[in-house]
Amino acid sequence: MNLIRRPRRNRQSAVIRDMVQETRLSVTDFILPVFITEGQNVRSEVSSMPGIYRYSLDLLLNEIEECVDLGLKTFDLFPNIAESKKDKYATESYNPNGLYIQAIGAIKARFPDVMIMTDVAMDPYSSDGHDGIVENGKIVNDPTLEVLGKMALAQAQAGANIVGPSDMMDGRVGYLRQVLDEGGFHDVAIMSYAAKYASAFYGPFRDALESAPKFGDKKTYQMNPANSREALIEAQLDYEEGADFLMVKPALAYLDIIKLLNDNFHLPIAAYNVSGEYAMIKAAAQNGWLDGERAMMESLMAIKRAGANVILTYFAKEAARVLNS
């Protein structure tokens, strides 16, 4: 046969395949989400997330040191708070002597060059388990912004580099930008959860934080998984309000949304490879149903190929070892 084009020529050896590879993963693409809990010498595995632990602050500092040695430099903190410290208005979220704010300061003191990203949402601290204030069974938007502002300001004062509003309240990016700027924190970036969907893939995360809603669901503020154009509306608003990054969450079931935002906005696009996506691969690998390492790397590559500049993933430490080998 006289074939002019034979694409297999560019696949015939490992050297050629590597030379023409279009997308490359780097350790610097990753942000590692970490779970912190109260106490001393605590390292408790999340049952639905094999290999992922809740750390007390003393052990968390050791874990971060291990990660830094692998080249990981950015960490997103999530707190597991005792039920007794939760209330309707999430006041523990901005307590300067509380676990979360103290953890930010301790990490920055020991690792000044590490970037700390924070979570700005009420659910870990709320007695209702929702991302906003609940009044008469409804999530009220504007009063919630005041709580989020206090939270973000306290985090910035403790040394946070990036705040991550994950609440999906309308107008929160603009409100936080104003609060941070008025507080003198012009350099603190906002990574907006611009397109956060009401997903089934968050279950293991809620196990880790014990933060599931006490009633109802989050469909009045998180997005309908059926909608893509709505993601453009949300992203445009966050862009106009001053977001520095736009995030899509979850990642694997929303690769089209990652591409959509990357095609339409000249900001770094982040994607959150969430707990359920992690758990599925881990469970299948433990059962011998697939090659866990290959599935991990293929999934992360797909997220980057879709257009994510930044990937929040529980695989970050494991993937860093693969990339460094």
Side-chain angles (χ1 to χ4, degrees):
M1 294 181 67
N2 184 25
L3 296 179
I4 296 174
R5 292 289 177 198
R6 290 183 181 265
R8 288 185 55 197
R9 281 195 284 260
N10 287 344
R11 303 178 201 138
Q12 63 183 290
S13 73
V15 172
I16 291 178
R17 289 193 297 272
D18 192 50
M19 182 170 60
V20 301
Q21 183 168 316
E22 299 172 25
T23 306
R24 295 185 188 277
L25 283 170
S26 166
V27 177
T28 56
D29 298 332
F30 302 142
I31 296 176
L32 176 64
V34 291
F35 299 124
I36 55 176
T37 192
E38 295 169 318
Q40 291 285 319
N41 200 35
V42 177
R43 181 178 181 265
S44 71
E45 189 171 29
V46 181
S47 60
S48 52
M49 299 179 70
I52 299 300
Y53 299 84
R54 306 177 193 91
Y55 294 95
S56 55
L57 183 53
D58 53 335
L59 298 188
L60 176 64
L61 293 172
N62 296 336
E63 174 67 10
I64 287 178
E65 184 171 22
E66 279 187 36
C67 293
V68 168
D69 289 343
L70 290 168
L72 295 170
K73 299 175 181 177
T74 307
F75 302 86
D76 192 4
L77 307 183
F78 295 94
N80 180 287
I81 300 295
E83 198 68 30
S84 62
K85 294 185 178 179
K86 298 179 182 182
D87 61 31
K88 180 182 180 68
Y89 299 104
T91 53
E92 182 67 14
S93 67
Y94 49 89
N95 175 8
N97 298 313
L99 169 69
Y100 197 75
I101 303 303
Q102 289 292 306
I104 297 168
I107 294 167
K108 290 298 290 186
R110 181 160 164 186
F111 305 100
D113 295 330
V114 153
M115 293 290 103
I116 295 298
M117 178 177 170
T118 60
D119 183 49
V120 181
M122 289 179 57
D123 55 327
Y125 316 91
S126 166
S127 52
D128 293 307
H130 276 282
D131 294 28
I133 296 171
V134 180
E135 297 288 1
N136 301 317
K138 293 185 177 181
I139 315 302
V140 292
N141 193 95
D142 295 11
T144 296
L145 301 186
E146 296 182 27
V147 178
L148 301 179
K150 292 176 183 177
M151 194 186 308
L153 186 59
Q155 293 168 353
Q157 289 168 340
N161 305 103
I162 304 168
V163 297
S166 62
D167 57 288
M168 289 301 285
M169 297 297 113
D170 292 339
R172 88 274 201 219
V173 171
Y175 186 86
L176 294 183
R177 186 72 272 159
Q178 180 180 350
V179 167
L180 291 169
D181 287 353
E182 288 176 352
F185 296 102
H186 304 280
D187 291 338
V188 173
I190 297 176
M191 184 180 291
S192 161
Y193 287 61
K196 181 179 180 180
Y197 285 84
S199 172
F201 290 102
Y202 303 149
F205 176 92
R206 291 173 184 169
D207 290 345
L209 297 190
E210 299 173 318
S211 64
K214 299 297 192 292
F215 67 92
D217 54 41
K218 300 190 176 186
K219 292 179 181 178
T220 67
Y221 47 101
Q222 294 179 357
M223 288 177 56
N224 183 341
N227 294 354
S228 59
R229 286 183 297 181
E230 186 180 9
L232 291 174
I233 296 171
E234 290 282 5
Q236 184 65 38
L237 287 168
D238 290 355
Y239 176 85
E240 291 172 355
E241 291 174 24
D244 299 285
F245 303 78
L246 300 173
M247 187 200 295
V248 176
K249 181 181 180 183
L252 289 176
Y254 298 87
L255 296 175
D256 60 320
I257 307 301
I258 297 171
K259 185 177 189 308
L260 186 66
L261 265 57
N262 187 55
D263 287 346
N264 283 277
F265 296 95
H266 297 298
L267 281 180
I269 303 301
Y272 201 142
N273 180 209
V274 299
S275 60
E277 296 169 340
Y278 172 91
M280 287 192 304
I281 290 175
K282 283 295 183 181
Q286 286 183 344
N287 279 284
W289 297 336
L290 51 71
D291 182 321
E293 183 177 299
R294 286 187 61 196
M296 168 184 72
M297 298 307 289
E298 185 176 337
S299 297
L300 294 172
M301 187 69 77
I303 295 167
K304 186 165 185 184
R305 189 187 67 238
N309 310 97
V310 178
I311 304 172
L312 292 88
T313 179
Y314 301 96
F315 285 122
K317 188 178 180 183
E318 194 175 346
R321 289 196 177 104
V322 173
L323 291 169
N324 290 335
S325 63

mmCIF file with all atom_site columns, all heavy atoms in Angstrom, residues 140-161:
data_model
loop_
_atom_site.group_PDB
_atom_site.id
_atom_site.type_symbol
_atom_site.label_atom_id
_atom_site.label_alt_id
_atom_site.label_comp_id
_atom_site.label_asym_id
_atom_site.label_entity_id
_atom_site.label_seq_id
_atom_site.pdbx_PDB_ins_code
_atom_site.Cartn_x
_atom_site.Cartn_y
_atom_site.Cartn_z
_atom_site.occupancy
_atom_site.B_iso_or_equiv
_atom_site.pdbx_formal_charge
_atom_site.auth_seq_id
_atom_site.auth_comp_id
_atom_site.auth_asym_id
_atom_site.auth_atom_id
_atom_site.pdbx_PDB_model_num
ATOM 1   N N   . VAL A 1 140 ? -29.239 31.503 53.201 1.00 0.00 ? 140 VAL A N   1
ATOM 2   C CA  . VAL A 1 140 ? -29.339 32.933 52.898 1.00 0.00 ? 140 VAL A CA  1
ATOM 3   C C   . VAL A 1 140 ? -27.987 33.432 52.401 1.00 0.00 ? 140 VAL A C   1
ATOM 4   O O   . VAL A 1 140 ? -26.953 33.184 53.007 1.00 0.00 ? 140 VAL A O   1
ATOM 5   C CB  . VAL A 1 140 ? -29.840 33.741 54.107 1.00 0.00 ? 140 VAL A CB  1
ATOM 6   C CG1 . VAL A 1 140 ? -31.293 33.397 54.400 1.00 0.00 ? 140 VAL A CG1 1
ATOM 7   C CG2 . VAL A 1 140 ? -28.986 33.520 55.340 1.00 0.00 ? 140 VAL A CG2 1
ATOM 8   N N   . ASN A 1 141 ? -28.004 34.121 51.293 1.00 0.00 ? 141 ASN A N   1
ATOM 9   C CA  . ASN A 1 141 ? -26.783 34.476 50.572 1.00 0.00 ? 141 ASN A CA  1
ATOM 10  C C   . ASN A 1 141 ? -26.010 35.627 51.218 1.00 0.00 ? 141 ASN A C   1
ATOM 11  O O   . ASN A 1 141 ? -24.870 35.451 51.672 1.00 0.00 ? 141 ASN A O   1
ATOM 12  C CB  . ASN A 1 141 ? -27.139 34.842 49.130 1.00 0.00 ? 141 ASN A CB  1
ATOM 13  C CG  . ASN A 1 141 ? -25.943 34.914 48.209 1.00 0.00 ? 141 ASN A CG  1
ATOM 14  O OD1 . ASN A 1 141 ? -25.612 33.957 47.531 1.00 0.00 ? 141 ASN A OD1 1
ATOM 15  N ND2 . ASN A 1 141 ? -25.245 36.059 48.181 1.00 0.00 ? 141 ASN A ND2 1
ATOM 16  N N   . ASP A 1 142 ? -26.607 36.808 51.261 1.00 0.00 ? 142 ASP A N   1
ATOM 17  C CA  . ASP A 1 142 ? -25.845 38.003 51.622 1.00 0.00 ? 142 ASP A CA  1
ATOM 18  C C   . ASP A 1 142 ? -25.332 37.996 53.064 1.00 0.00 ? 142 ASP A C   1
ATOM 19  O O   . ASP A 1 142 ? -24.168 38.385 53.299 1.00 0.00 ? 142 ASP A O   1
ATOM 20  C CB  . ASP A 1 142 ? -26.668 39.252 51.331 1.00 0.00 ? 142 ASP A CB  1
ATOM 21  C CG  . ASP A 1 142 ? -26.937 39.412 49.827 1.00 0.00 ? 142 ASP A CG  1
ATOM 22  O OD1 . ASP A 1 142 ? -26.678 38.459 49.055 1.00 0.00 ? 142 ASP A OD1 1
ATOM 23  O OD2 . ASP A 1 142 ? -27.420 40.482 49.415 1.00 0.00 ? 142 ASP A OD2 1
ATOM 24  N N   . PRO A 1 143 ? -26.130 37.558 54.052 1.00 0.00 ? 143 PRO A N   1
ATOM 25  C CA  . PRO A 1 143 ? -25.565 37.468 55.400 1.00 0.00 ? 143 PRO A CA  1
ATOM 26  C C   . PRO A 1 143 ? -24.381 36.501 55.491 1.00 0.00 ? 143 PRO A C   1
ATOM 27  O O   . PRO A 1 143 ? -23.472 36.694 56.302 1.00 0.00 ? 143 PRO A O   1
ATOM 28  C CB  . PRO A 1 143 ? -26.750 36.977 56.246 1.00 0.00 ? 143 PRO A CB  1
ATOM 29  C CG  . PRO A 1 143 ? -27.960 37.413 55.499 1.00 0.00 ? 143 PRO A CG  1
ATOM 30  C CD  . PRO A 1 143 ? -27.581 37.265 54.053 1.00 0.00 ? 143 PRO A CD  1
ATOM 31  N N   . THR A 1 144 ? -24.392 35.471 54.649 1.00 0.00 ? 144 THR A N   1
ATOM 32  C CA  . THR A 1 144 ? -23.273 34.516 54.644 1.00 0.00 ? 144 THR A CA  1
ATOM 33  C C   . THR A 1 144 ? -21.971 35.196 54.234 1.00 0.00 ? 144 THR A C   1
ATOM 34  O O   . THR A 1 144 ? -20.889 34.850 54.732 1.00 0.00 ? 144 THR A O   1
ATOM 35  C CB  . THR A 1 144 ? -23.581 33.340 53.691 1.00 0.00 ? 144 THR A CB  1
ATOM 36  O OG1 . THR A 1 144 ? -24.710 32.621 54.187 1.00 0.00 ? 144 THR A OG1 1
ATOM 37  C CG2 . THR A 1 144 ? -22.403 32.390 53.572 1.00 0.00 ? 144 THR A CG2 1
ATOM 38  N N   . LEU A 1 145 ? -22.049 36.163 53.324 1.00 0.00 ? 145 LEU A N   1
ATOM 39  C CA  . LEU A 1 145 ? -20.830 36.830 52.852 1.00 0.00 ? 145 LEU A CA  1
ATOM 40  C C   . LEU A 1 145 ? -20.048 37.457 54.003 1.00 0.00 ? 145 LEU A C   1
ATOM 41  O O   . LEU A 1 145 ? -18.811 37.457 53.990 1.00 0.00 ? 145 LEU A O   1
ATOM 42  C CB  . LEU A 1 145 ? -21.173 37.894 51.811 1.00 0.00 ? 145 LEU A CB  1
ATOM 43  C CG  . LEU A 1 145 ? -21.894 37.428 50.539 1.00 0.00 ? 145 LEU A CG  1
ATOM 44  C CD1 . LEU A 1 145 ? -22.030 38.581 49.557 1.00 0.00 ? 145 LEU A CD1 1
ATOM 45  C CD2 . LEU A 1 145 ? -21.176 36.258 49.893 1.00 0.00 ? 145 LEU A CD2 1
ATOM 46  N N   . GLU A 1 146 ? -20.742 37.980 54.994 1.00 0.00 ? 146 GLU A N   1
ATOM 47  C CA  . GLU A 1 146 ? -20.057 38.597 56.122 1.00 0.00 ? 146 GLU A CA  1
ATOM 48  C C   . GLU A 1 146 ? -19.221 37.577 56.891 1.00 0.00 ? 146 GLU A C   1
ATOM 49  O O   . GLU A 1 146 ? -18.096 37.868 57.314 1.00 0.00 ? 146 GLU A O   1
ATOM 50  C CB  . GLU A 1 146 ? -21.072 39.265 57.050 1.00 0.00 ? 146 GLU A CB  1
ATOM 51  C CG  . GLU A 1 146 ? -21.825 40.424 56.405 1.00 0.00 ? 146 GLU A CG  1
ATOM 52  C CD  . GLU A 1 146 ? -22.786 41.099 57.370 1.00 0.00 ? 146 GLU A CD  1
ATOM 53  O OE1 . GLU A 1 146 ? -22.523 41.034 58.602 1.00 0.00 ? 146 GLU A OE1 1
ATOM 54  O OE2 . GLU A 1 146 ? -23.778 41.684 56.916 1.00 0.00 ? 146 GLU A OE2 1
ATOM 55  N N   . VAL A 1 147 ? -19.763 36.379 57.064 1.00 0.00 ? 147 VAL A N   1
ATOM 56  C CA  . VAL A 1 147 ? -19.011 35.316 57.736 1.00 0.00 ? 147 VAL A CA  1
ATOM 57  C C   . VAL A 1 147 ? -17.804 34.918 56.899 1.00 0.00 ? 147 VAL A C   1
ATOM 58  O O   . VAL A 1 147 ? -16.685 34.769 57.409 1.00 0.00 ? 147 VAL A O   1
ATOM 59  C CB  . VAL A 1 147 ? -19.903 34.089 58.001 1.00 0.00 ? 147 VAL A CB  1
ATOM 60  C CG1 . VAL A 1 147 ? -19.102 32.968 58.666 1.00 0.00 ? 147 VAL A CG1 1
ATOM 61  C CG2 . VAL A 1 147 ? -21.100 34.464 58.858 1.00 0.00 ? 147 VAL A CG2 1
ATOM 62  N N   . LEU A 1 148 ? -18.008 34.771 55.594 1.00 0.00 ? 148 LEU A N   1
ATOM 63  C CA  . LEU A 1 148 ? -16.909 34.393 54.704 1.00 0.00 ? 148 LEU A CA  1
ATOM 64  C C   . LEU A 1 148 ? -15.807 35.447 54.717 1.00 0.00 ? 148 LEU A C   1
ATOM 65  O O   . LEU A 1 148 ? -14.616 35.119 54.658 1.00 0.00 ? 148 LEU A O   1
ATOM 66  C CB  . LEU A 1 148 ? -17.431 34.193 53.282 1.00 0.00 ? 148 LEU A CB  1
ATOM 67  C CG  . LEU A 1 148 ? -18.522 33.131 53.092 1.00 0.00 ? 148 LEU A CG  1
ATOM 68  C CD1 . LEU A 1 148 ? -18.954 33.079 51.621 1.00 0.00 ? 148 LEU A CD1 1
ATOM 69  C CD2 . LEU A 1 148 ? -18.067 31.764 53.565 1.00 0.00 ? 148 LEU A CD2 1
ATOM 70  N N   . GLY A 1 149 ? -16.205 36.717 54.790 1.00 0.00 ? 149 GLY A N   1
ATOM 71  C CA  . GLY A 1 149 ? -15.230 37.798 54.843 1.00 0.00 ? 149 GLY A CA  1
ATOM 72  C C   . GLY A 1 149 ? -14.380 37.725 56.103 1.00 0.00 ? 149 GLY A C   1
ATOM 73  O O   . GLY A 1 149 ? -13.149 37.891 56.053 1.00 0.00 ? 149 GLY A O   1
ATOM 74  N N   . LYS A 1 150 ? -15.013 37.481 57.249 1.00 0.00 ? 150 LYS A N   1
ATOM 75  C CA  . LYS A 1 150 ? -14.264 37.349 58.504 1.00 0.00 ? 150 LYS A CA  1
ATOM 76  C C   . LYS A 1 150 ? -13.299 36.169 58.439 1.00 0.00 ? 150 LYS A C   1
ATOM 77  O O   . LYS A 1 150 ? -12.165 36.236 58.914 1.00 0.00 ? 150 LYS A O   1
ATOM 78  C CB  . LYS A 1 150 ? -15.236 37.163 59.666 1.00 0.00 ? 150 LYS A CB  1
ATOM 79  C CG  . LYS A 1 150 ? -16.088 38.379 59.986 1.00 0.00 ? 150 LYS A CG  1
ATOM 80  C CD  . LYS A 1 150 ? -17.086 38.068 61.095 1.00 0.00 ? 150 LYS A CD  1
ATOM 81  C CE  . LYS A 1 150 ? -17.989 39.253 61.379 1.00 0.00 ? 150 LYS A CE  1
ATOM 82  N NZ  . LYS A 1 150 ? -19.008 38.945 62.415 1.00 0.00 ? 150 LYS A NZ  1
ATOM 83  N N   . MET A 1 151 ? -13.773 35.082 57.833 1.00 0.00 ? 151 MET A N   1
ATOM 84  C CA  . MET A 1 151 ? -12.955 33.875 57.694 1.00 0.00 ? 151 MET A CA  1
ATOM 85  C C   . MET A 1 151 ? -11.723 34.145 56.825 1.00 0.00 ? 151 MET A C   1
ATOM 86  O O   . MET A 1 151 ? -10.587 33.833 57.204 1.00 0.00 ? 151 MET A O   1
ATOM 87  C CB  . MET A 1 151 ? -13.826 32.787 57.060 1.00 0.00 ? 151 MET A CB  1
ATOM 88  C CG  . MET A 1 151 ? -13.287 31.389 57.122 1.00 0.00 ? 151 MET A CG  1
ATOM 89  S SD  . MET A 1 151 ? -14.313 30.181 56.200 1.00 0.00 ? 151 MET A SD  1
ATOM 90  C CE  . MET A 1 151 ? -15.941 30.500 56.863 1.00 0.00 ? 151 MET A CE  1
ATOM 91  N N   . ALA A 1 152 ? -11.942 34.734 55.657 1.00 0.00 ? 152 ALA A N   1
ATOM 92  C CA  . ALA A 1 152 ? -10.837 34.995 54.731 1.00 0.00 ? 152 ALA A CA  1
ATOM 93  C C   . ALA A 1 152 ? -9.829  35.972 55.327 1.00 0.00 ? 152 ALA A C   1
ATOM 94  O O   . ALA A 1 152 ? -8.616  35.806 55.151 1.00 0.00 ? 152 ALA A O   1
ATOM 95  C CB  . ALA A 1 152 ? -11.381 35.532 53.412 1.00 0.00 ? 152 ALA A CB  1
ATOM 96  N N   . LEU A 1 153 ? -10.318 36.983 56.024 1.00 0.00 ? 153 LEU A N   1
ATOM 97  C CA  . LEU A 1 153 ? -9.416  37.965 56.630 1.00 0.00 ? 153 LEU A CA  1
ATOM 98  C C   . LEU A 1 153 ? -8.559  37.306 57.706 1.00 0.00 ? 153 LEU A C   1
ATOM 99  O O   . LEU A 1 153 ? -7.338  37.545 57.767 1.00 0.00 ? 153 LEU A O   1
ATOM 100 C CB  . LEU A 1 153 ? -10.228 39.119 57.219 1.00 0.00 ? 153 LEU A CB  1
ATOM 101 C CG  . LEU A 1 153 ? -9.419  40.294 57.769 1.00 0.00 ? 153 LEU A CG  1
ATOM 102 C CD1 . LEU A 1 153 ? -8.542  40.918 56.687 1.00 0.00 ? 153 LEU A CD1 1
ATOM 103 C CD2 . LEU A 1 153 ? -10.349 41.348 58.374 1.00 0.00 ? 153 LEU A CD2 1
ATOM 104 N N   . ALA A 1 154 ? -9.168  36.472 58.538 1.00 0.00 ? 154 ALA A N   1
ATOM 105 C CA  . ALA A 1 154 ? -8.401  35.773 59.575 1.00 0.00 ? 154 ALA A CA  1
ATOM 106 C C   . ALA A 1 154 ? -7.352  34.859 58.953 1.00 0.00 ? 154 ALA A C   1
ATOM 107 O O   . ALA A 1 154 ? -6.223  34.755 59.455 1.00 0.00 ? 154 ALA A O   1
ATOM 108 C CB  . ALA A 1 154 ? -9.349  34.968 60.469 1.00 0.00 ? 154 ALA A CB  1
ATOM 109 N N   . GLN A 1 155 ? -7.700  34.202 57.860 1.00 0.00 ? 155 GLN A N   1
ATOM 110 C CA  . GLN A 1 155 ? -6.754  33.323 57.179 1.00 0.00 ? 155 GLN A CA  1
ATOM 111 C C   . GLN A 1 155 ? -5.585  34.122 56.602 1.00 0.00 ? 155 GLN A C   1
ATOM 112 O O   . GLN A 1 155 ? -4.425  33.712 56.702 1.00 0.00 ? 155 GLN A O   1
ATOM 113 C CB  . GLN A 1 155 ? -7.480  32.552 56.085 1.00 0.00 ? 155 GLN A CB  1
ATOM 114 C CG  . GLN A 1 155 ? -8.506  31.563 56.614 1.00 0.00 ? 155 GLN A CG  1
ATOM 115 C CD  . GLN A 1 155 ? -9.415  31.015 55.533 1.00 0.00 ? 155 GLN A CD  1
ATOM 116 O OE1 . GLN A 1 155 ? -9.374  31.467 54.385 1.00 0.00 ? 155 GLN A OE1 1
ATOM 117 N NE2 . GLN A 1 155 ? -10.257 30.045 55.873 1.00 0.00 ? 155 GLN A NE2 1
ATOM 118 N N   . ALA A 1 156 ? -5.896  35.253 55.994 1.00 0.00 ? 156 ALA A N   1
ATOM 119 C CA  . ALA A 1 156 ? -4.845  36.105 55.430 1.00 0.00 ? 156 ALA A CA  1
ATOM 120 C C   . ALA A 1 156 ? -3.930  36.620 56.525 1.00 0.00 ? 156 ALA A C   1
ATOM 121 O O   . ALA A 1 156 ? -2.696  36.656 56.370 1.00 0.00 ? 156 ALA A O   1
ATOM 122 C CB  . ALA A 1 156 ? -5.478  37.252 54.647 1.00 0.00 ? 156 ALA A CB  1
ATOM 123 N N   . GLN A 1 157 ? -4.501  37.025 57.638 1.00 0.00 ? 157 GLN A N   1
ATOM 124 C CA  . GLN A 1 157 ? -3.696  37.522 58.758 1.00 0.00 ? 157 GLN A CA  1
ATOM 125 C C   . GLN A 1 157 ? -2.766  36.443 59.293 1.00 0.00 ? 157 GLN A C   1
ATOM 126 O O   . GLN A 1 157 ? -1.667  36.742 59.769 1.00 0.00 ? 157 GLN A O   1
ATOM 127 C CB  . GLN A 1 157 ? -4.615  38.031 59.865 1.00 0.00 ? 157 GLN A CB  1
ATOM 128 C CG  . GLN A 1 157 ? -5.337  39.327 59.501 1.00 0.00 ? 157 GLN A CG  1
ATOM 129 C CD  . GLN A 1 157 ? -6.462  39.682 60.462 1.00 0.00 ? 157 GLN A CD  1
ATOM 130 O OE1 . GLN A 1 157 ? -6.975  38.813 61.186 1.00 0.00 ? 157 GLN A OE1 1
ATOM 131 N NE2 . GLN A 1 157 ? -6.866  40.942 60.478 1.00 0.00 ? 157 GLN A NE2 1
ATOM 132 N N   . ALA A 1 158 ? -3.183  35.194 59.188 1.00 0.00 ? 158 ALA A N   1
ATOM 133 C CA  . ALA A 1 158 ? -2.359  34.082 59.664 1.00 0.00 ? 158 ALA A CA  1
ATOM 134 C C   . ALA A 1 158 ? -1.249  33.714 58.694 1.00 0.00 ? 158 ALA A C   1
ATOM 135 O O   . ALA A 1 158 ? -0.330  32.975 59.056 1.00 0.00 ? 158 ALA A O   1
ATOM 136 C CB  . ALA A 1 158 ? -3.243  32.866 59.934 1.00 0.00 ? 158 ALA A CB  1
ATOM 137 N N   . GLY A 1 159 ? -1.349  34.190 57.439 1.00 0.00 ? 159 GLY A N   1
ATOM 138 C CA  . GLY A 1 159 ? -0.293  33.930 56.469 1.00 0.00 ? 159 GLY A CA  1
ATOM 139 C C   . GLY A 1 159 ? -0.716  33.204 55.215 1.00 0.00 ? 159 GLY A C   1
ATOM 140 O O   . GLY A 1 159 ? 0.140   32.799 54.418 1.00 0.00 ? 159 GLY A O   1
ATOM 141 N N   . ALA A 1 160 ? -2.018  33.023 54.997 1.00 0.00 ? 160 ALA A N   1
ATOM 142 C CA  . ALA A 1 160 ? -2.483  32.337 53.794 1.00 0.00 ? 160 ALA A CA  1
ATOM 143 C C   . ALA A 1 160 ? -2.073  33.096 52.542 1.00 0.00 ? 160 ALA A C   1
ATOM 144 O O   . ALA A 1 160 ? -2.093  34.327 52.512 1.00 0.00 ? 160 ALA A O   1
ATOM 145 C CB  . ALA A 1 160 ? -4.004  32.184 53.831 1.00 0.00 ? 160 ALA A CB  1
ATOM 146 N N   . ASN A 1 161 ? -1.715  32.358 51.502 1.00 0.00 ? 161 ASN A N   1
ATOM 147 C CA  . ASN A 1 161 ? -1.330  32.954 50.217 1.00 0.00 ? 161 ASN A CA  1
ATOM 148 C C   . ASN A 1 161 ? -2.480  33.011 49.224 1.00 0.00 ? 161 ASN A C   1
ATOM 149 O O   . ASN A 1 161 ? -2.566  33.917 48.408 1.00 0.00 ? 161 ASN A O   1
ATOM 150 C CB  . ASN A 1 161 ? -0.187  32.161 49.590 1.00 0.00 ? 161 ASN A CB  1
ATOM 151 C CG  . ASN A 1 161 ? 1.002   32.024 50.503 1.00 0.00 ? 161 ASN A CG  1
ATOM 152 O OD1 . ASN A 1 161 ? 1.212   30.976 51.102 1.00 0.00 ? 161 ASN A OD1 1
ATOM 153 N ND2 . ASN A 1 161 ? 1.778   33.073 50.651 1.00 0.00 ? 161 ASN A ND2 1
#
